[in-house]
Amino acid sequence: MTEKMEVFELDDDFDPMADVSSDELQDDEEMDALSNDYMAPIPDADKSVIPPKREVSAEERIAQLIVGLPGQKFRLLQAIDACRETRTLDELCASMEAAFPVQKTVFDAPQIVRLLAEAGAIDVQEVPLETADDQPESADADFIQVKPVSYNLYTASAAGLAAVEEGSGERVVLDMLGAEEDRYLPLFKQVLEMTAADGGCTAKELDLAISTNPICAEPRRYAGYFMNLLENTFAIQWTDAWSITETGRSVLQSDIFA
Amino acid sequence: MTETSQAQFAEALHGRMATYQFLARLFRVEVDQELYDILTAMKFPANTGNDLVDEGYRLICDYLSNAPEDVLTQLAIDYVRAFIGSGNDGYSAAYPFESVYTSPKRLMMQDARDEVLVLYRAAGLDKQDSWKEGEDHLALELEFEQILGQRALEAFQDGNEDSCFNLLIQQRNFLEDHLLAWYPMMAADLEKFPRTDFYRGLGRLTLGFLRSDLDLLNEMLVEEDDQTVAVALEA
């Protein structure tokens, strides 16, 4: 048996407010504030002002949109490019779906179109619907019904076309290849050739062919490095397999690999 | 009650039941393709005699007539903006819960939820497992009125007038004690938070309908000699 030790004792006289002098509690209002339910103050509430609206140019808005949706970059640019001639929404969506048939994204074609219109990349022209049975409704009609009153036509804006010129096409791929070391060019060519096969090729096939190449030994490079650069310039794309794009084909046939 | 007035009475019961069902659906979840197709095909009453109802239908109809191409997405965004909001101060949206508008700190799951839960269970109803919100959600309160209305209609068609009128009294009490006790405050918020006329119109339509339904129920139920008896609707 060990001797029982009294280590703690209950302090019934404990007063949590004892350390707060009565001078600090200046008036009843302050006491009430302490006793009421705690309400978190809003810090610097007076500084919480909505900044004035800043006008942003179409060029800037388009750039922000493209940067904000990196996975949709070439779909955005393709949609603008398709609007070189005026199109209805159905025509535009059909064009987008033909260009990018495999889409695993929450951004459907009409949403892409709306985002582009809001950014100023495409101009929207509202055309009133004129139908033969379009009779004006009398004020005392008993029922009203939903009747689409207009439809939209879409045409690429100058700012939108400038973004297409700057962000896509053979020149963008060639610029990228030109910035890389010359010794890597055969590997870029090999990726393009492999993805140009019918049905494309898998990442595993590319990895086996590229990553084992002695050129990739120092510094250590893997197939993904080359694939990323080609994908980011839209020379290749993933459509259930890695496949070459039209841009990639024209680069493959250009003089750069000669 | 003549045959004509009986038919009118049944038609009135059916009409209000259908309207409750329609409104409950619109508040329950976002508009989907199926509902959108129904909305674009249906005819909205234009001259009901209730300015709020007429204005509500007109706003909804005008919005859908001028709807953007991605209308379902826009309506879904506005549903969140109107009913869920992005703040946590209790003043960032038109929260569709009775508790929010009847509790001092605008909290959910308060006394109002307990009260309506008792009423639902007394009527033999319980929420489905798929419903994850409080029972005092506006959509459920509207659906409760719809179910009582459906039961009243069935009782009337079966010739059980006592049961029918008891159900009508229940509906009037629920309307006075619950829906009309708080929904007008939410309707005021629905003027502020949505950006589309669709949900602004829905807010006005619902307020106008609830008020006119109370008038209609009062008209159907006339107290005489301490007994509630029914009077047929005047042609």
Side-chain angles (χ1 to χ4, degrees), chain A residues 37-39 89 108 110-111 113-114 118 126 139-152 154, chain B residues 36 39-47 54 57-58 60-62 64-66 68-70 73-74 77 105:
Chain A
D37 286 348
Y38 174 73
M39 296 289 283
L89 181 74
D108 58 14
Q111 275 179 280
V113 173
R114 183 177 59 79
E118 285 176 359
E126 203 171 291
D140 59 352
D142 286 336
F143 293 98
I144 52 175
Q145 203 167 1
V146 176
K147 286 183 185 170
V149 294
S150 64
Y151 67 96
N152 291 337
Y154 300 92
Chain B
Y36 179 73
L39 288 169
T40 51
M42 71 186 284
K43 290 182 174 177
F44 299 95
N47 291 300
D54 292 349
Y57 278 131
R58 192 189 61 74
I60 291 173
C61 193
D62 283 354
L64 294 174
S65 295
N66 296 283
E69 280 87 1
D70 56 343
T73 305
Q74 293 305 309
I77 291 169
K105 292 186 179 176

Side-chain angles (χ1 to χ4, degrees), chain A residues 162-185:
Chain A
V164 173
E165 297 304 321
E166 191 185 330
S168 64
E170 191 181 327
R171 183 190 51 77
V172 177
V173 187
L174 293 175
D175 287 350
M176 179 275 291
L177 292 174
E180 287 294 309
E181 293 179 43
D182 288 347
R183 62 185 179 129
Y184 290 131
L185 283 180

Side-chain angles (χ1 to χ4, degrees), chain A residues 17-94:
Chain A
M17 300 295 285
D19 293 339
V20 181
S21 72
S22 57
D23 295 342
E24 290 174 34
L25 302 176
Q26 291 178 353
D27 50 26
D28 292 343
E29 199 175 311
E30 203 166 339
M31 283 296 288
D32 288 345
L34 280 171
S35 58
N36 283 341
D37 286 348
Y38 174 73
M39 296 289 283
I42 301 173
D44 299 330
D46 56 324
K47 295 174 188 165
S48 176
V49 291
I50 298 171
K53 193 174 176 181
R54 186 170 68 91
E55 289 299 326
V56 181
S57 67
E59 288 79 4
E60 204 176 334
R61 277 180 283 145
I62 295 166
Q64 285 173 354
L65 177 63
I66 291 171
V67 169
L69 294 176
Q72 302 294 323
K73 176 180 176 182
F74 295 103
R75 207 159 158 239
L76 291 164
L77 296 177
Q78 185 276 333
I80 302 170
D81 197 41
C83 288
R84 283 181 193 274
E85 55 186 78
T86 303
R87 289 178 186 263
T88 63
L89 181 74
D90 288 344
E91 290 168 348
L92 185 50
C93 290

